[in-house]
Amino acid sequence: SDFFEQFFSQQRGGNQQQNQSRKGGDYQTEMEISLQEAYLGTSRIIQLENEKLRVTTKPGAYTDQQLRIKSKGARGSSESNRGDLFVRIKVANNLKYIRKGNDLYETINVNLYDAILGNDSIIETLSGKLKIKIEAGTQNGKSIRLKGKGMPVYETPGTFGDFYISIQIKMPEKLTDKQKELFEELKSIS
């Protein structure tokens, strides 16, 4: 009987200990950042009850990425048993660039004359301005790939996606009489 009494008292004590060490629940929130902030990395202050937390993203952050901050959730039976805080990242849409994975896409307008004769064009990327060559005879919809000029690959320093430029040829809306005459002459030569 002493054996059973000792065994059951240990069992009851174990259950009480489990109840006393109950873990708190997890919190979830969303943090919206711009594409530029996703490129460079950023941080935000989040107010959580009576506590301010700085949440930092690394370069290459992406939509639906989930950051876990340990022991910043609901309180459990003790301070050491707090739940976790999960922060879901949302990268805001950008009017200029489209992001697909680590690659960026942009459509630029090129005038008819530069498409026919060729020219240099300055484009803006998230890492700065670049000069690209528009080859003579460039066709509408042509794509130019700039290797390594896209988004940084998350947690892989020095590795970047690519930047794709789609050429949209802008036709002149109104021609002067002289321009019409020259186009007619070109047409007759061709």
Side-chain angles (χ1 to χ4, degrees), residues 9 20 41 65-67 90 92 98 105 153 155 174 178:
S9 69
Q20 289 173 354
Q65 178 181 10
Q66 194 159 284
L67 305 177
K90 181 176 189 266
I98 295 171
Y105 295 80
V153 177
E155 290 192 328
K174 293 182 181 176
K178 179 69 175 166

Side-chain angles (χ1 to χ4, degrees), residues 35 38 60-62 91 97-105 151-152:
L35 186 63
Y62 50 91
V91 180
Y97 309 112
I98 295 171
R99 181 180 184 181
K100 294 180 184 175
N102 295 312
D103 296 331
L104 292 174
Y105 295 80
M151 292 295 290

Side-chain angles (χ1 to χ4, degrees), residues 61-104:
Y62 50 91
T63 294
D64 291 332
Q65 178 181 10
Q66 194 159 284
L67 305 177
R68 178 182 175 202
I69 302 159
K70 291 183 178 181
S71 301
K72 294 299 179 184
R75 299 189 192 291
S77 55
S78 69
E79 184 62 28
S80 63
N81 288 335
R82 285 183 73 173
D84 298 328
L85 171 63
F86 290 93
V87 180
R88 189 173 78 81
I89 302 299
K90 181 176 189 266
V91 180
N93 288 335
N94 186 285
L95 298 176
K96 190 171 182 177
Y97 309 112
I98 295 171
R99 181 180 184 181
K100 294 180 184 175
N102 295 312
D103 296 331
L104 292 174

